[in-house]
Structure formats: C-alpha cells, structure tokens
Amino acid sequence: PSSSFVQQLGFTLIVTLPITSATRMALFSRGRIGTLRVFGPDSDGIIAACSDLIGKHGCNIVKSETWSDQKENMFFNRLAFTYDQPDKVACQQELTEICKDFHLENRLNWRDRKKKVGIMVSKYDHCLWELLLRHSAHELPEMDIELVISNHPDLQSVAETFHVPYHVIPITQETKAEQEARQLELLKNVDVVVLARYMQVLSGSFLRQFPENIINIHHSFLPAFMGGRPYQAAHERGVKLIGATAHYATEDLDEGPIISQDVISVTHRDEVKDMMRKGRILERNVLLKALEAHLDDRVIVHKNRCIVFGD
C-alpha cells in the first residue's frame, strides 16, 4: 500500500511477509538480517519504492512497520530483511537517490557487525549487574561490552566478575574537562554509551560526540521531586505510582527523547525502602528495553521524541 493509504487508516501498519523455513534458518543462523529506516514528509509511493529497491538487490523483507503522523504529515517506516550477497554500495547509492526524490532521511544498516557498547556508572550497581548478566547469558547478541567507566572504584569487582575492563576516572569541577577528554579517548571506538546510573552531568562537547547514541536511565519523579532524595519526597507526598524513564541524553538535562518508560503502583503501606526497591527493578527493566530497541534499529528520533517500533 502507499503511505497515504496507511495515513488514511489512522493506525500503525505491520506487515510480515512469508519466507521459507529453510531459507529463514540458513540466513538467521548467519546473522544476515538488515534494517532500513526512512522518515520524512508523507507522499504516495514511498513504501513501494523502498520495497522494490530491497527486492531488486536480492533481499527478502520479513517485517515492515509504518506510522504516519497526520498532524505533521510525517512518514516513518522500518523494514527488516534477510540478505545473502547484495551490492551494498550500489544499494545505498540508489537508496540515497530515492530518498532525495521523496525528501526523506534514511538509515540503512546491514548489521554485519556487533555494536560496541561502553557503560558509565557511579555507585549504584543494579543497572550494571543487569547489563552484564544479560550479556553474559547471550541475551544481548547485537552488542559487545567494551568497557566500564566510573568516577568511583566501588563497582570494579562487578566488572571484573565478567572480565570487562573497568576504568576509574574521578571527576571534580576543576578536572571535568580534562577527565572527560580521558573518557572520550577510552570510548573512541564505541558505538553506544549507556549511562547505567552515572551521576555526573556530561558536557555538551561530550554529548555531541555521540548524537542519539547515549542512553540514560532515571526515576520518573522529575520534575516534581528533584534533588538527592526523590523517593523520600515522593513518600511524604503519598504518591501512588513510581516509574522509570530511559531517554537519549542531550544538553537539556534529563529532557532528551524518551525511548521507554514504565510505572508500578505503590500504596501507603510501602516504606521508602520498598519504593526504592521497586524503582530499581523498573530502572533495570526500562533501561534494558530501551537498549534492545536501540540495538535492533527500532528507534527513529524526530524533533524531541522517539518513534519506537515493535519488537
């Protein structure tokens, strides 16, 4: 269908196309699964043009998900496809021409290598444990954890348990610029930075090195309960929901495009320690969900929000 047809329907379209079991097993076992994301002004023929291009180069579309923002007349599409031996350079060149004609942006990823991830952490260990355990259990096959950077030595034993290099780089106001330069040097070959409860504010110059590739996690009390004791403040206020938010880090502190969120109910029976325990569980799960979506190329950032396609 055309993108305008999808727009008229007013909902997200997910199409899964058939592929023989033998081909699927052969291609998936070799990891030959690529993704294409396109977005821009909506118009007729976008889906057909992109699908024809993928098919022309011997790729087989296994999933297509589309969303049209009727208010802004914006079109968003993600294709997942299997492939064998396409001409990748020619495909990208032809895609660039198609997107130029439609005034679209594109992200074509053949996913022929794992993304390299760097983790930054302070003293809270729950998110670090979650990432390292999941990776050790091969539940995050799209990535390799290259290193952990911290401004404290407290969690070094955690990283060493999984044989991941751990670098301690203390930060003070006077040394911030110099120490961030050291951090960037360590992260120079990294694709994605995960702030697993890293309690330092990154500078604009640092953030600009990883646009839309730094994922942060924090509780969802902001901006109502700011400061160093949000759970205590929320408990005193008698809140009935607590939550966690994972977002891309930007120069607007804790206001970057949101990738994932979740909430859980609390009652007057919950003490502060109970709320903190529930909050930690949420933070682990939400951070993991956001990272999985990022690694799977299911996120498109438009202005200050994320379009996140299904898994």
Side-chain angles (χ1 to χ4, degrees):
S2 70
S3 57
S4 61
F5 173 73
V6 173
Q7 185 183 44
Q8 291 171 12
L9 292 178
F11 54 76
T12 300
L13 173 69
I14 304 176
V15 181
T16 303
L17 301 178
I19 177 174
T20 65
S21 58
T23 303
R24 179 185 291 109
M25 290 298 295
L27 292 174
F28 275 52
S29 65
R30 287 180 288 173
R32 297 185 182 275
I33 306 172
T35 51
L36 169 62
R37 292 166 290 170
V38 297
F39 58 101
D42 198 0
S43 62
D44 291 339
I46 296 175
I47 295 176
C50 292
S51 300
D52 288 348
L53 173 68
I54 293 297
K56 172 184 175 182
H57 286 273
C59 306
N60 190 19
I61 297 172
V62 294
K63 189 170 186 179
S64 175
E65 187 169 355
T66 296
W67 180 65
S68 291
D69 184 334
Q70 298 183 28
K71 182 178 180 180
E72 296 191 13
N73 192 42
M74 286 290 295
F75 171 78
F76 304 88
N77 181 225
R78 176 186 182 271
L79 297 175
F81 56 88
T82 57
Y83 67 92
D84 191 7
Q85 294 180 327
D87 187 332
K88 297 177 182 179
V89 174
C91 187
Q92 179 64 71
Q93 290 175 340
E94 292 175 39
L95 175 63
T96 300
E97 289 302 313
I98 290 173
C99 290
K100 183 179 179 181
D101 292 339
F102 285 102
H103 307 288
L104 300 172
E105 295 187 49
N106 74 83
R107 308 283 188 272
L108 175 60
N109 185 4
W110 297 99
R111 297 170 70 164
D112 45 8
R113 71 171 183 85
K114 294 183 179 182
K115 290 186 173 74
K116 297 180 179 180
V117 173
I119 300 174
M120 299 181 73
V121 66
S122 290
K123 291 185 176 182
Y124 294 112
D125 65 352
H126 54 288
C127 289
L128 178 62
W129 275 110
E130 184 74 14
L131 295 173
L132 293 174
L133 283 167
R134 296 280 187 173
H135 184 255
S136 177
H138 308 291
E139 294 180 17
L140 294 168
E142 297 277 358
M143 75 178 207
D144 284 323
I145 298 176
E146 296 294 299
L147 75 165
V148 176
I149 295 175
S150 180
N151 53 328
H152 298 283
D154 302 52
L155 303 184
Q156 183 161 352
S157 61
V158 178
E160 290 177 346
T161 299
F162 297 90
H163 309 291
V164 176
Y166 187 91
H167 302 268
V168 180
I169 303 181
I171 301 288
T172 66
Q173 194 61 38
E174 293 74 22
T175 65
K176 186 179 182 68
E178 176 187 349
Q179 297 295 65
E180 280 197 350
R182 288 182 58 196
Q183 292 173 335
L184 287 171
E185 178 63 25
L186 290 169
L187 295 167
K188 63 182 179 181
N189 295 319
V190 162
D191 301 299
V192 185
V193 177
V194 178
L195 306 181
R197 293 309 306 271
Y198 182 65
M199 308 304 288
Q200 291 286 320
V201 178
L202 297 174
S203 68
S205 59
F206 187 108
L207 294 168
R208 286 190 289 274
Q209 299 300 312
F210 297 94
E212 298 174 13
N213 280 292
I214 300 179
I215 300 174
N216 187 32
I217 181 72
H218 60 71
H219 59 77
S220 289
F221 293 133
L222 298 173
F225 304 107
M226 303 179 72
R229 295 165 58 87
Y231 283 98
Q232 287 83 352
H235 182 266
E236 293 171 5
R237 182 66 177 81
V239 302
K240 298 300 184 279
L241 288 174
I242 60 175
T245 296
H247 64 92
Y248 289 118
T250 65
E251 294 184 53
D252 295 321
L253 182 62
D254 291 331
E255 295 186 7
I258 296 170
I259 310 169
S260 182
Q261 289 181 302
D262 200 1
V263 296
I264 191 171
S265 297
V266 294
T267 73
H268 58 276
R269 295 182 177 86
D270 288 299
E271 300 293 336
V272 173
K273 64 179 181 180
D274 301 315
M275 295 172 63
M276 294 179 70
R277 173 178 54 81
K278 292 180 178 182
R280 287 193 294 268
I281 293 171
L282 283 175
E283 288 173 2
R284 293 199 302 262
N285 293 340
V286 169
L287 178 60
L288 182 67
K289 186 176 180 180
L291 179 59
E292 288 176 331
H294 180 89
L295 295 171
D296 199 28
D297 294 334
R298 288 189 278 113
V299 184
I300 296 176
V301 178
H302 175 59
K303 296 183 177 178
N304 197 45
R305 65 172 175 166
C306 291
I307 287 80
V308 185
F309 293 117
D311 55 15

